[in-house]
């Protein structure tokens, strides 16, 4: 592609917009000379062309799996939230609840992976909603999807520090029976984890891939050690198989069916966030293959490890009621009952405490990239500020924004624990809504939109039978759980046990609508560089074929006297 052809296209076609021919051609030109975001650089530095900064490729498949697993951190999240499922279904909800959660989340992850394979872009579901929507509806649909996705990630980022605070204060409570946990104690730990993750993301970018690789080994090793120690010390005084696999407990006031579904929040929370790697596609090679693989692997590893871990943990429990009410927390109390040693239980607790540090940085990494990409498309207030990335490939303003919001969430906790719990539980609902929008568009508009003629034929697909099955199963599970996760956990409903997630859901929806009316409908045009990003992402598949197709499309449109058809739009 010569400079002349680029300038000619600029004169004939629109110079701005989400599918600007000029943006596509200039981005491909930068890629061809080794300056684009998908061109690997041996020095690990970001590429800079004018005012455009393209992040270097720090992440490989193993570090990506580590990142995804660090974010899910499934066995720790499920074990730390045992107090949700034990009163709401008992051991049957803890163990067998993983099965529908795994099937539902795997169906969603596979459906999203299939879309990501065709359209690997950094904002994931928000970009996919824009691509798959009818042209006249794309800005509004992608705006709402983007707001729910960003809000979900902001809320999810706050969960790591909150759980870490509970784990550490639980250690103090176990060692000192007279100790009373205060909210500000948890708040200080919460802030320490949040600021530590912020420092790592800003100053330790090159360390993140190694940290993420370490995260998955640390987490899985910790799970194995805890299992071995708890089983060996609890032997031969185990709980019966009937208790672990058949016992049903309902202390919620709801009927048994509703209570069991509410208990699914534990396992669903432990398996959400698998879209994280789709927000890192600009920092990985072959994103059309590595991102989908990682999504599915993260859910499979998380569900299988959690299933085994929780079975072994339940076999060592002596008194379920004490586990539910202990100031030490459900996980630590369970390990203490199995080992009968405070020192031993505290040593085992070190594994989840450190695992939460991995989770904190992983959540912040993915969340800040999501915020950066959405701001780059002018989706956030003060977008020009939050769309800045430094020469090392770190979106520092977005990292600081996410960290600041997490700190604000923590300040809310000082005034009301119910308010913070609503924000944290809302993360599952928000992310599920954002996941559902692009999948629903595929179901409504047909699977042909996953085979765009402007891109090479997909090399990985679920097929005409498995694809629709995954789509419908995933959407059905998400609809069911989203509705029930907005229910109060106990009856009768009071100000203390009210599930304020429904209020947070309404708040985010209202904010997205108001900002759309005030600013979005006039200035928001959807993903601004989507065509260019897609061309670049697929350039590693068959760059020559893409350029040849672009040349033919350009020639045909000129002959017909039309502007060029957007590469990513199927209407």
């Amino acid at each position: 592609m010569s400079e002349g052809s680029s300038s000619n296209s600029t004169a004939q076609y629109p110079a701005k917009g989400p599918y600007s021919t000029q943006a596509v051609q200039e981005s491909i030109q930068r890629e061809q000379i080794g300056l684009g975001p998908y061109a690997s650089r041996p020095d690990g530095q970001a590429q800079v062309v004018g005012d455009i900064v393209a992040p270097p490729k720090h992440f490989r498949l193993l570090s990506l799996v580590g990142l995804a697993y660090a974010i899910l951190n499934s066995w720790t999240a499920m074990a730390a939230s045992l107090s949700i499922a034990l009163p709401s279904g008992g051991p049957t909800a803890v163990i067998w609840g993983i099965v529908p959660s795994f099937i539902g989340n795997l169906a969603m992850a596979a459906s999203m992976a299939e879309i990501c394979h065709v359209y690997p872009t950094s904002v994931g579901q928000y970009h996919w909603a824009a691509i798959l929507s009818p042209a006249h509806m794309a800005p509004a649909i992608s705006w709402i999807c983007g707001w729910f996705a960003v809000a979900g990630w902001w809320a999810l980022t706050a969960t790591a520090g909150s759980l870490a605070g509970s784990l550490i204060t639980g250690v103090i409570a176990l060692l000192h029976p007279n100790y009373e946990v205060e909210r500000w104690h948890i708040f200080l730990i919460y802030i320490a984890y949040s600021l530590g993750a912020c420092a790592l993301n800003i100053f330790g970018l090159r360390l993140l891939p190694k940290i993420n690789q370490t995260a998955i080994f640390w987490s899985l090793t910790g799970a194995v050690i805890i299992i071995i120690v708890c089983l060996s010390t609890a032997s031969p005084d185990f709980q019966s198989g009937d208790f672990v696999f058949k016992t049903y407990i309902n202390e919620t006031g709801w009927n048994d069916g509703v209570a069991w579904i509410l208990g699914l929040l534990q396992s669903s929370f432990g398996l959400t966030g698998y879209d994280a790697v789709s927000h890192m596609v600009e920092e990985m090679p072959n994103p059309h293959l590595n991102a989908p693989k990682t999504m599915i692997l993260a859910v499979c590893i998380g569900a299988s490890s959690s299933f085994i871990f929780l079975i072994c943990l339940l076999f060592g429990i002596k008194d379920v009621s004490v586990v539910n009410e202990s100031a030490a927390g459900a996980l630590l109390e369970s390990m203490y009952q199995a080992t009968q040693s405070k020192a031993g239980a505290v040593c085992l607790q070190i594994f989840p405490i450190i695992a939460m540090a991995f989770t904190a940085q992983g959540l912040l990494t993915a969340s800040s990239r999501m915020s950066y990409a959405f701001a780059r498309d002018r989706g956030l207030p003060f977008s020009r500020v939050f769309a800045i990335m430094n020469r090392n490939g770190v979106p520092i303003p977005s990292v600081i924004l996410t960290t600041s919001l997490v700190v604000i969430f923590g300040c809310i906790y000082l005034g009301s624990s119910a308010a913070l719990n609503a924000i944290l539980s809302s993360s599952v609902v928000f992310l599920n809504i954002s996941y559902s929008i692009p999948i629903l568009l595929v179901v409504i508009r047909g699977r042909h939109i996953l085979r765009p003629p402007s891109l090479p034929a997909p090399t990985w697909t679920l097929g005409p039978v498995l694809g629709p099955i995954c789509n419908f199963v995933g959407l059905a599970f998400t609809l069911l759980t989203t509705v029930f996760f907005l229910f109060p956990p106990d009856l009768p409903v009071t100000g203390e046990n009210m599930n304020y997630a429904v209020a947070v859901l309404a708040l985010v929806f209202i904010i997205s609508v108001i900002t759309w009316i005030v600013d979005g409908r006039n200035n928001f045009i959807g993903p601004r560089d989507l065509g260019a990003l897609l061309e670049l992402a697929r350039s590693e598949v068959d760059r020559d074929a893409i350029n040849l197709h672009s040349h033919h499309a350009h020639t045909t449109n000129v002959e017909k006297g039309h502007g060029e058809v957007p590469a990513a739009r199927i209407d």
Side-chain angles (χ1 to χ4, degrees):
M1 184 182 302
S2 65
E3 293 183 4
S5 65
S6 178
S7 62
N8 290 338
S9 66
T10 304
Q12 296 177 25
Y13 303 114
K16 61 182 180 179
Y19 310 109
S20 162
T21 299
Q22 178 186 9
V24 174
Q25 291 182 340
E26 289 181 353
S27 295
I28 293 175
Q29 186 177 28
R30 289 196 298 271
E31 172 68 24
Q32 288 173 331
I33 63 176
L35 293 174
Y38 291 89
S40 297
R41 284 277 297 274
D43 57 4
Q45 296 295 313
Q47 295 83 42
V48 182
V49 180
D51 60 350
I52 298 175
V53 181
K57 299 198 173 185
H58 294 286
F59 295 88
R60 295 296 185 266
L61 181 59
L62 182 58
S63 57
L64 287 168
V65 174
L67 172 67
Y69 189 76
I71 288 173
L72 269 65
N73 204 7
S74 299
W75 70 264
T76 304
M78 292 188 198
S81 55
L82 270 175
S83 57
I84 294 176
L86 281 177
S88 188
T92 61
V94 173
I95 300 302
W96 299 119
I98 295 177
V99 176
S101 294
F102 168 65
I103 293 173
N105 281 282
L106 182 62
M108 291 292 285
S111 299
M112 292 175 63
E114 186 179 38
I115 300 174
C116 185
H117 172 70
V118 181
Y119 304 113
T121 62
S122 58
V123 193
Q125 55 269 40
Y126 148 67
H127 273 177
W128 304 334
I131 298 170
L132 301 173
S133 300
H136 65 286
M137 300 174 63
I141 292 176
S142 62
W143 176 276
I144 293 175
C145 183
W147 265 98
F148 275 109
V150 170
W153 273 103
W154 288 340
L156 191 62
T157 305
T159 62
S162 175
L163 289 175
S166 299
L167 292 172
I168 293 175
T169 54
V171 170
I172 302 173
L174 181 66
L175 296 178
H176 303 280
N178 294 327
Y179 168 72
E180 293 186 8
V181 179
E182 300 286 348
R183 287 195 207 130
W184 66 269
H185 298 166
I186 296 178
F187 175 76
L188 291 179
I189 299 169
Y190 174 95
I191 294 299
Y193 270 68
S194 301
L195 295 182
C198 180
L200 269 177
N201 271 268
I202 293 177
F203 303 109
L205 182 64
R206 290 192 178 187
L207 298 176
L208 294 187
K210 294 296 182 183
I211 290 174
N212 292 325
Q213 291 175 25
T214 304
I216 187 170
F217 290 114
W218 175 268
S219 183
L220 294 178
T221 300
V224 171
I225 291 176
I226 292 173
I227 288 172
I228 293 173
V229 171
C230 288
L231 290 180
S232 61
T233 53
S235 177
D237 187 20
F238 294 122
Q239 282 284 2
S240 67
D242 285 346
F243 169 81
V244 174
F245 297 107
K246 296 181 180 180
T247 300
Y248 186 92
I249 300 172
N250 182 6
E251 300 175 355
T252 64
W254 292 101
N255 65 58
D256 288 349
V258 173
W260 199 87
I261 294 175
L262 293 177
L264 292 179
L265 177 61
Q266 177 212 21
S267 51
S268 294
F269 172 67
L271 295 176
T272 197
Y274 44 79
D275 63 305
V277 292
S278 69
H279 310 312
M280 308 293 294
V281 297
E282 295 179 18
E283 300 175 57
M284 70 176 80
N286 295 315
H288 67 293
L289 294 176
N290 285 333
K293 286 180 184 177
T294 307
M295 284 187 197
I296 295 173
L297 280 173
V299 175
C300 292
I301 295 173
S304 57
S305 60
S306 300
F307 188 76
I308 296 171
F309 180 85
L310 291 175
I311 287 176
C312 296
L313 195 66
L314 288 176
F315 269 114
I317 290 178
K318 303 296 189 298
D319 191 330
V320 176
S321 61
V322 175
V323 171
N324 287 335
E325 300 170 1
S326 175
L331 175 58
L332 184 58
E333 178 63 32
S334 298
M335 294 189 295
Y336 172 59
Q337 290 188 15
T339 60
Q340 294 298 303
S341 167
K342 291 185 177 181
V346 169
C347 288
L348 295 179
Q349 184 87 326
I350 297 299
F351 285 104
I353 288 174
I354 295 178
M356 279 301 161
F358 290 127
T359 298
Q361 67 81 21
L363 287 171
L364 184 58
T365 299
S367 181
S368 61
R369 269 50 172 190
M370 181 75 188
S371 302
Y372 160 76
F374 195 42
R376 191 170 56 187
D377 294 327
R378 306 293 186 263
L380 294 177
F382 309 106
S383 286
R384 295 187 183 277
V385 174
F386 300 122
I388 296 174
M389 178 177 283
N390 71 5
R391 290 177 177 268
N392 292 323
V394 182
I396 293 179
S398 290
V399 172
I400 294 175
L401 169 66
T402 304
T403 304
S404 300
L405 290 171
V406 169
V407 171
I408 291 172
F409 296 160
C411 292
I412 295 174
Y413 178 66
L414 289 175
S416 171
S417 60
L420 180 62
N421 290 335
I423 294 172
L424 302 184
S425 61
S426 296
S427 64
V428 177
V429 174
F430 290 168
L431 288 176
N432 280 345
I433 292 174
S434 71
Y435 297 163
S436 299
I437 291 175
I439 298 173
L440 186 61
L441 288 168
V442 172
V443 171
I444 293 174
R445 303 197 64 203
R447 293 182 58 77
H448 67 279
I449 59 178
L450 296 180
R451 298 183 66 88
S454 55
L455 294 177
T459 57
W460 185 87
T461 177
L462 295 175
V465 176
L466 184 59
I469 290 175
C470 288
N471 297 160
F472 282 108
V473 169
L475 289 173
F477 175 80
T478 300
L479 176 62
L480 176 70
T481 54
T482 297
V483 171
F484 278 97
F485 290 169
L486 297 176
F487 281 29
D490 301 298
L491 291 179
V493 181
T494 65
E496 288 296 321
N497 69 6
M498 173 63 186
N499 187 348
Y500 291 98
V502 66
V504 179
L505 174 66
L507 178 64
V508 171
F509 181 76
I510 291 171
I511 290 174
S512 67
V513 171
I514 291 175
T515 52
W516 169 256
I517 294 172
V518 173
D519 177 59
R521 64 175 178 168
N522 297 320
N523 301 313
F524 183 74
I525 58 176
R528 292 173 178 264
D529 297 316
L530 188 55
L533 290 171
L534 287 172
E535 294 280 8
L536 292 172
R538 303 297 302 192
S539 65
E540 294 185 337
V541 184
D542 192 347
R543 184 179 304 163
D544 294 335
I546 293 174
N547 291 335
L548 181 62
H549 173 86
S550 299
H551 173 73
H552 288 329
H554 172 81
T555 303
T556 302
N557 287 326
V558 170
E559 290 174 352
K560 293 181 178 180
H562 300 300
E564 184 165 335
V565 178
R569 172 64 58 197
I570 304 294
D571 290 311

